[in-house]
Amino acid sequence: MAAMNASPARIPFHLAFPVRDIAEARAFYGDLLGCPEGRSAPEWVDFDFHGHQIVAHLAPDECGHKASSAVDGHEVPVRHFGAILPMDQWQALADKLVARQTRFVIEPYIRFKGEPGEQATMFFLDPSGNAIEMKSFANLDSLFAV
């Protein structure tokens, strides 16, 4: 069995999720978010999502954001995924999404100001209604701070 090319500190995850249209997924994840494409078939496509494998599967009936939960005065989509980026990359993505007139569920802001776990965050939906959170920490050591 071959060893994975991953450091013990960062093991890639795999996430499969539904989309209503593969071409839309390619435009959103590939063109807008800049995720390189991997393998694909007519019903699915792999993307390199910041070193992690995400797979958009054609399943229109499974799509959509359904429920929210209150966090720091905002309604956060319960089902969501995302990445934790260095602050400069997070800001560049926020600027790009604003310039492209992305409709945010929660606009870019700093959450938990002055508390353990202070973080920059933003939430938006892909064209199929999948919620994405991109975040950053000034100090990554506070990722699991209590």
Side-chain angles (χ1 to χ4, degrees):
M1 179 185 272
M4 289 180 53
N5 286 335
S7 70
R10 184 174 143 187
I11 296 172
F13 69 80
H14 165 85
L15 174 72
F17 57 96
V19 296
R20 66 183 183 189
D21 183 272
I22 295 296
E24 273 184 339
R26 281 189 163 109
F28 183 83
Y29 290 96
D31 299 338
L32 179 62
L33 297 186
C35 299
E37 187 174 320
R39 293 178 300 275
S40 67
E43 300 83 23
W44 57 269
V45 60
D46 285 351
F47 295 100
D48 178 342
F49 187 75
H50 304 280
H52 304 282
Q53 182 191 47
I54 63 171
V55 187
H57 284 270
L58 187 59
D61 294 339
E62 298 290 321
C63 293
H65 156 63
K66 309 243 186 305
S68 298
S69 179
V71 178
D72 193 38
H74 292 87
E75 287 299 312
V76 170
V78 170
R79 187 175 63 171
H80 66 272
F81 68 94
I84 300 168
L85 303 175
M87 190 61 76
D88 60 334
Q89 290 179 25
W90 181 89
Q91 188 62 59
L93 178 60
D95 293 345
K96 178 181 183 180
L97 294 174
V98 167
R100 298 277 292 266
Q101 300 180 342
T102 300
R103 189 170 149 241
F104 290 94
V105 175
I106 299 174
E107 293 190 10
Y109 85 108
I110 304 298
R111 176 193 290 167
F112 307 131
K113 281 187 181 180
E115 298 178 32
E118 179 176 307
Q119 59 195 260
T121 188
M122 61 180 134
F123 282 83
F124 49 94
L125 302 178
D126 75 4
S128 296
N130 295 299
I132 300 166
E133 177 185 19
M134 301 302 281
K135 60 171 63 179
S136 183
F137 291 81
N139 177 3
L140 196 54
D141 292 336
S142 66
L143 178 63
F144 297 107
V146 181

PDB file of all heavy atoms in Angstrom, residues 95-117:
ATOM      1  N   ASP A  95     -12.350  40.235  -1.244  1.00  0.00           N
ATOM      2  CA  ASP A  95     -12.339  41.342  -2.203  1.00  0.00           C
ATOM      3  C   ASP A  95     -12.812  40.878  -3.581  1.00  0.00           C
ATOM      4  O   ASP A  95     -13.590  41.566  -4.253  1.00  0.00           O
ATOM      5  CB  ASP A  95     -10.944  41.959  -2.307  1.00  0.00           C
ATOM      6  CG  ASP A  95     -10.504  42.667  -1.032  1.00  0.00           C
ATOM      7  OD1 ASP A  95     -11.351  42.943  -0.151  1.00  0.00           O
ATOM      8  OD2 ASP A  95      -9.284  42.928  -0.912  1.00  0.00           O
ATOM      9  N   LYS A  96     -12.359  39.700  -4.009  1.00  0.00           N
ATOM     10  CA  LYS A  96     -12.752  39.161  -5.311  1.00  0.00           C
ATOM     11  C   LYS A  96     -14.247  38.879  -5.362  1.00  0.00           C
ATOM     12  O   LYS A  96     -14.931  39.216  -6.337  1.00  0.00           O
ATOM     13  CB  LYS A  96     -11.968  37.876  -5.602  1.00  0.00           C
ATOM     14  CG  LYS A  96     -12.323  37.209  -6.915  1.00  0.00           C
ATOM     15  CD  LYS A  96     -11.509  35.932  -7.113  1.00  0.00           C
ATOM     16  CE  LYS A  96     -11.794  35.278  -8.447  1.00  0.00           C
ATOM     17  NZ  LYS A  96     -10.997  34.056  -8.631  1.00  0.00           N
ATOM     18  N   LEU A  97     -14.773  38.266  -4.297  1.00  0.00           N
ATOM     19  CA  LEU A  97     -16.195  37.944  -4.259  1.00  0.00           C
ATOM     20  C   LEU A  97     -17.056  39.205  -4.235  1.00  0.00           C
ATOM     21  O   LEU A  97     -18.097  39.271  -4.900  1.00  0.00           O
ATOM     22  CB  LEU A  97     -16.506  37.042  -3.066  1.00  0.00           C
ATOM     23  CG  LEU A  97     -15.891  35.648  -3.118  1.00  0.00           C
ATOM     24  CD1 LEU A  97     -16.161  34.900  -1.809  1.00  0.00           C
ATOM     25  CD2 LEU A  97     -16.386  34.854  -4.306  1.00  0.00           C
ATOM     26  N   VAL A  98     -16.620  40.224  -3.499  1.00  0.00           N
ATOM     27  CA  VAL A  98     -17.344  41.492  -3.479  1.00  0.00           C
ATOM     28  C   VAL A  98     -17.312  42.121  -4.872  1.00  0.00           C
ATOM     29  O   VAL A  98     -18.337  42.573  -5.392  1.00  0.00           O
ATOM     30  CB  VAL A  98     -16.760  42.449  -2.417  1.00  0.00           C
ATOM     31  CG1 VAL A  98     -17.291  43.864  -2.594  1.00  0.00           C
ATOM     32  CG2 VAL A  98     -17.065  41.926  -1.009  1.00  0.00           C
ATOM     33  N   ALA A  99     -16.140  42.130  -5.505  1.00  0.00           N
ATOM     34  CA  ALA A  99     -16.006  42.711  -6.848  1.00  0.00           C
ATOM     35  C   ALA A  99     -16.870  41.979  -7.864  1.00  0.00           C
ATOM     36  O   ALA A  99     -17.387  42.595  -8.807  1.00  0.00           O
ATOM     37  CB  ALA A  99     -14.538  42.699  -7.284  1.00  0.00           C
ATOM     38  N   ARG A 100     -17.055  40.671  -7.681  1.00  0.00           N
ATOM     39  CA  ARG A 100     -17.884  39.871  -8.601  1.00  0.00           C
ATOM     40  C   ARG A 100     -19.353  39.886  -8.197  1.00  0.00           C
ATOM     41  O   ARG A 100     -20.159  39.137  -8.724  1.00  0.00           O
ATOM     42  CB  ARG A 100     -17.377  38.422  -8.652  1.00  0.00           C
ATOM     43  CG  ARG A 100     -15.956  38.264  -9.182  1.00  0.00           C
ATOM     44  CD  ARG A 100     -15.854  38.237 -10.696  1.00  0.00           C
ATOM     45  NE  ARG A 100     -16.426  37.077 -11.303  1.00  0.00           N
ATOM     46  CZ  ARG A 100     -15.775  35.966 -11.621  1.00  0.00           C
ATOM     47  NH1 ARG A 100     -14.487  35.853 -11.370  1.00  0.00           N
ATOM     48  NH2 ARG A 100     -16.409  34.964 -12.188  1.00  0.00           N
ATOM     49  N   GLN A 101     -19.697  40.745  -7.233  1.00  0.00           N
ATOM     50  CA  GLN A 101     -21.068  40.953  -6.764  1.00  0.00           C
ATOM     51  C   GLN A 101     -21.714  39.674  -6.238  1.00  0.00           C
ATOM     52  O   GLN A 101     -22.896  39.400  -6.473  1.00  0.00           O
ATOM     53  CB  GLN A 101     -21.914  41.609  -7.851  1.00  0.00           C
ATOM     54  CG  GLN A 101     -21.364  42.943  -8.268  1.00  0.00           C
ATOM     55  CD  GLN A 101     -22.181  43.629  -9.344  1.00  0.00           C
ATOM     56  OE1 GLN A 101     -22.990  43.004 -10.031  1.00  0.00           O
ATOM     57  NE2 GLN A 101     -21.971  44.922  -9.494  1.00  0.00           N
ATOM     58  N   THR A 102     -20.918  38.889  -5.505  1.00  0.00           N
ATOM     59  CA  THR A 102     -21.423  37.676  -4.871  1.00  0.00           C
ATOM     60  C   THR A 102     -22.453  38.061  -3.819  1.00  0.00           C
ATOM     61  O   THR A 102     -22.255  39.017  -3.066  1.00  0.00           O
ATOM     62  CB  THR A 102     -20.257  36.902  -4.209  1.00  0.00           C
ATOM     63  OG1 THR A 102     -19.320  36.561  -5.225  1.00  0.00           O
ATOM     64  CG2 THR A 102     -20.738  35.658  -3.490  1.00  0.00           C
ATOM     65  N   ARG A 103     -23.524  37.330  -3.776  1.00  0.00           N
ATOM     66  CA  ARG A 103     -24.532  37.532  -2.734  1.00  0.00           C
ATOM     67  C   ARG A 103     -24.119  36.707  -1.517  1.00  0.00           C
ATOM     68  O   ARG A 103     -24.049  35.479  -1.583  1.00  0.00           O
ATOM     69  CB  ARG A 103     -25.904  37.092  -3.247  1.00  0.00           C
ATOM     70  CG  ARG A 103     -27.000  37.474  -2.303  1.00  0.00           C
ATOM     71  CD  ARG A 103     -28.372  37.244  -2.956  1.00  0.00           C
ATOM     72  NE  ARG A 103     -29.280  36.913  -1.885  1.00  0.00           N
ATOM     73  CZ  ARG A 103     -29.940  35.783  -1.774  1.00  0.00           C
ATOM     74  NH1 ARG A 103     -29.835  34.854  -2.698  1.00  0.00           N
ATOM     75  NH2 ARG A 103     -30.739  35.560  -0.757  1.00  0.00           N
ATOM     76  N   PHE A 104     -23.833  37.381  -0.436  1.00  0.00           N
ATOM     77  CA  PHE A 104     -23.383  36.711   0.785  1.00  0.00           C
ATOM     78  C   PHE A 104     -24.567  36.343   1.671  1.00  0.00           C
ATOM     79  O   PHE A 104     -25.526  37.101   1.785  1.00  0.00           O
ATOM     80  CB  PHE A 104     -22.446  37.622   1.584  1.00  0.00           C
ATOM     81  CG  PHE A 104     -21.111  37.838   0.941  1.00  0.00           C
ATOM     82  CD1 PHE A 104     -20.890  38.940   0.127  1.00  0.00           C
ATOM     83  CD2 PHE A 104     -20.075  36.943   1.132  1.00  0.00           C
ATOM     84  CE1 PHE A 104     -19.657  39.143  -0.480  1.00  0.00           C
ATOM     85  CE2 PHE A 104     -18.845  37.131   0.527  1.00  0.00           C
ATOM     86  CZ  PHE A 104     -18.635  38.239  -0.277  1.00  0.00           C
ATOM     87  N   VAL A 105     -24.473  35.196   2.320  1.00  0.00           N
ATOM     88  CA  VAL A 105     -25.390  34.845   3.389  1.00  0.00           C
ATOM     89  C   VAL A 105     -24.981  35.660   4.615  1.00  0.00           C
ATOM     90  O   VAL A 105     -25.816  36.227   5.314  1.00  0.00           O
ATOM     91  CB  VAL A 105     -25.342  33.326   3.691  1.00  0.00           C
ATOM     92  CG1 VAL A 105     -26.200  32.973   4.899  1.00  0.00           C
ATOM     93  CG2 VAL A 105     -25.773  32.527   2.474  1.00  0.00           C
ATOM     94  N   ILE A 106     -23.672  35.711   4.868  1.00  0.00           N
ATOM     95  CA  ILE A 106     -23.080  36.558   5.910  1.00  0.00           C
ATOM     96  C   ILE A 106     -21.872  37.237   5.275  1.00  0.00           C
ATOM     97  O   ILE A 106     -20.925  36.567   4.845  1.00  0.00           O
ATOM     98  CB  ILE A 106     -22.659  35.735   7.152  1.00  0.00           C
ATOM     99  CG1 ILE A 106     -23.888  35.051   7.772  1.00  0.00           C
ATOM    100  CG2 ILE A 106     -21.961  36.634   8.168  1.00  0.00           C
ATOM    101  CD1 ILE A 106     -23.567  34.095   8.907  1.00  0.00           C
ATOM    102  N   GLU A 107     -21.916  38.551   5.187  1.00  0.00           N
ATOM    103  CA  GLU A 107     -20.827  39.306   4.558  1.00  0.00           C
ATOM    104  C   GLU A 107     -19.548  39.167   5.366  1.00  0.00           C
ATOM    105  O   GLU A 107     -19.585  38.900   6.574  1.00  0.00           O
ATOM    106  CB  GLU A 107     -21.229  40.773   4.431  1.00  0.00           C
ATOM    107  CG  GLU A 107     -22.360  40.956   3.442  1.00  0.00           C
ATOM    108  CD  GLU A 107     -22.621  42.413   3.107  1.00  0.00           C
ATOM    109  OE1 GLU A 107     -21.815  43.283   3.482  1.00  0.00           O
ATOM    110  OE2 GLU A 107     -23.641  42.664   2.448  1.00  0.00           O
ATOM    111  N   PRO A 108     -18.391  39.358   4.719  1.00  0.00           N
ATOM    112  CA  PRO A 108     -17.107  39.241   5.421  1.00  0.00           C
ATOM    113  C   PRO A 108     -17.052  40.167   6.647  1.00  0.00           C
ATOM    114  O   PRO A 108     -17.399  41.343   6.557  1.00  0.00           O
ATOM    115  CB  PRO A 108     -16.098  39.677   4.361  1.00  0.00           C
ATOM    116  CG  PRO A 108     -16.776  39.413   3.051  1.00  0.00           C
ATOM    117  CD  PRO A 108     -18.226  39.682   3.296  1.00  0.00           C
ATOM    118  N   TYR A 109     -16.664  39.590   7.770  1.00  0.00           N
ATOM    119  CA  TYR A 109     -16.508  40.370   9.009  1.00  0.00           C
ATOM    120  C   TYR A 109     -15.661  39.584  10.002  1.00  0.00           C
ATOM    121  O   TYR A 109     -15.323  38.419   9.766  1.00  0.00           O
ATOM    122  CB  TYR A 109     -17.880  40.735   9.601  1.00  0.00           C
ATOM    123  CG  TYR A 109     -18.517  39.680  10.481  1.00  0.00           C
ATOM    124  CD1 TYR A 109     -18.601  39.861  11.861  1.00  0.00           C
ATOM    125  CD2 TYR A 109     -19.052  38.510   9.951  1.00  0.00           C
ATOM    126  CE1 TYR A 109     -19.198  38.905  12.672  1.00  0.00           C
ATOM    127  CE2 TYR A 109     -19.653  37.560  10.750  1.00  0.00           C
ATOM    128  CZ  TYR A 109     -19.720  37.762  12.122  1.00  0.00           C
ATOM    129  OH  TYR A 109     -20.306  36.809  12.932  1.00  0.00           O
ATOM    130  N   ILE A 110     -15.335  40.235  11.120  1.00  0.00           N
ATOM    131  CA  ILE A 110     -14.576  39.591  12.198  1.00  0.00           C
ATOM    132  C   ILE A 110     -15.573  39.130  13.255  1.00  0.00           C
ATOM    133  O   ILE A 110     -16.318  39.932  13.814  1.00  0.00           O
ATOM    134  CB  ILE A 110     -13.534  40.540  12.829  1.00  0.00           C
ATOM    135  CG1 ILE A 110     -12.583  41.091  11.762  1.00  0.00           C
ATOM    136  CG2 ILE A 110     -12.770  39.824  13.946  1.00  0.00           C
ATOM    137  CD1 ILE A 110     -11.750  40.045  11.046  1.00  0.00           C
ATOM    138  N   ARG A 111     -15.565  37.832  13.528  1.00  0.00           N
ATOM    139  CA  ARG A 111     -16.461  37.203  14.497  1.00  0.00           C
ATOM    140  C   ARG A 111     -15.720  37.001  15.819  1.00  0.00           C
ATOM    141  O   ARG A 111     -14.530  36.740  15.836  1.00  0.00           O
ATOM    142  CB  ARG A 111     -16.910  35.845  13.942  1.00  0.00           C
ATOM    143  CG  ARG A 111     -17.772  35.038  14.885  1.00  0.00           C
ATOM    144  CD  ARG A 111     -17.913  33.611  14.429  1.00  0.00           C
ATOM    145  NE  ARG A 111     -18.736  33.512  13.224  1.00  0.00           N
ATOM    146  CZ  ARG A 111     -18.818  32.413  12.474  1.00  0.00           C
ATOM    147  NH1 ARG A 111     -18.112  31.348  12.766  1.00  0.00           N
ATOM    148  NH2 ARG A 111     -19.599  32.384  11.428  1.00  0.00           N
ATOM    149  N   PHE A 112     -16.435  37.086  16.915  1.00  0.00           N
ATOM    150  CA  PHE A 112     -15.909  36.864  18.271  1.00  0.00           C
ATOM    151  C   PHE A 112     -14.774  37.838  18.592  1.00  0.00           C
ATOM    152  O   PHE A 112     -13.753  37.456  19.172  1.00  0.00           O
ATOM    153  CB  PHE A 112     -15.446  35.415  18.460  1.00  0.00           C
ATOM    154  CG  PHE A 112     -16.457  34.370  18.104  1.00  0.00           C
ATOM    155  CD1 PHE A 112     -16.123  33.314  17.282  1.00  0.00           C
ATOM    156  CD2 PHE A 112     -17.765  34.436  18.585  1.00  0.00           C
ATOM    157  CE1 PHE A 112     -17.044  32.329  16.949  1.00  0.00           C
ATOM    158  CE2 PHE A 112     -18.697  33.462  18.254  1.00  0.00           C
ATOM    159  CZ  PHE A 112     -18.338  32.413  17.433  1.00  0.00           C
ATOM    160  N   LYS A 113     -14.942  39.119  18.218  1.00  0.00           N
ATOM    161  CA  LYS A 113     -13.905  40.133  18.450  1.00  0.00           C
ATOM    162  C   LYS A 113     -13.488  40.150  19.917  1.00  0.00           C
ATOM    163  O   LYS A 113     -14.319  40.207  20.813  1.00  0.00           O
ATOM    164  CB  LYS A 113     -14.409  41.521  18.059  1.00  0.00           C
ATOM    165  CG  LYS A 113     -14.373  41.778  16.589  1.00  0.00           C
ATOM    166  CD  LYS A 113     -14.724  43.220  16.289  1.00  0.00           C
ATOM    167  CE  LYS A 113     -14.696  43.438  14.790  1.00  0.00           C
ATOM    168  NZ  LYS A 113     -15.037  44.814  14.442  1.00  0.00           N
ATOM    169  N   GLY A 114     -12.163  40.105  20.121  1.00  0.00           N
ATOM    170  CA  GLY A 114     -11.600  40.190  21.456  1.00  0.00           C
ATOM    171  C   GLY A 114     -11.745  38.932  22.293  1.00  0.00           C
ATOM    172  O   GLY A 114     -11.338  38.907  23.451  1.00  0.00           O
ATOM    173  N   GLU A 115     -12.320  37.878  21.731  1.00  0.00           N
ATOM    174  CA  GLU A 115     -12.517  36.629  22.464  1.00  0.00           C
ATOM    175  C   GLU A 115     -11.580  35.550  21.934  1.00  0.00           C
ATOM    176  O   GLU A 115     -11.045  35.673  20.834  1.00  0.00           O
ATOM    177  CB  GLU A 115     -13.959  36.134  22.274  1.00  0.00           C
ATOM    178  CG  GLU A 115     -15.024  37.060  22.801  1.00  0.00           C
ATOM    179  CD  GLU A 115     -16.424  36.533  22.525  1.00  0.00           C
ATOM    180  OE1 GLU A 115     -16.607  35.295  22.512  1.00  0.00           O
ATOM    181  OE2 GLU A 115     -17.320  37.355  22.312  1.00  0.00           O
ATOM    182  N   PRO A 116     -11.406  34.467  22.713  1.00  0.00           N
ATOM    183  CA  PRO A 116     -10.661  33.338  22.156  1.00  0.00           C
ATOM    184  C   PRO A 116     -11.382  32.859  20.889  1.00  0.00           C
ATOM    185  O   PRO A 116     -12.610  32.824  20.849  1.00  0.00           O
ATOM    186  CB  PRO A 116     -10.743  32.271  23.250  1.00  0.00           C
ATOM    187  CG  PRO A 116     -11.027  33.025  24.512  1.00  0.00           C
ATOM    188  CD  PRO A 116     -11.843  34.231  24.084  1.00  0.00           C
ATOM    189  N   GLY A 117     -10.649  32.569  19.877  1.00  0.00           N
ATOM    190  CA  GLY A 117     -11.258  32.114  18.634  1.00  0.00           C
ATOM    191  C   GLY A 117     -11.681  33.235  17.700  1.00  0.00           C
ATOM    192  O   GLY A 117     -12.409  32.988  16.738  1.00  0.00           O
TER     193      GLY A 117
END
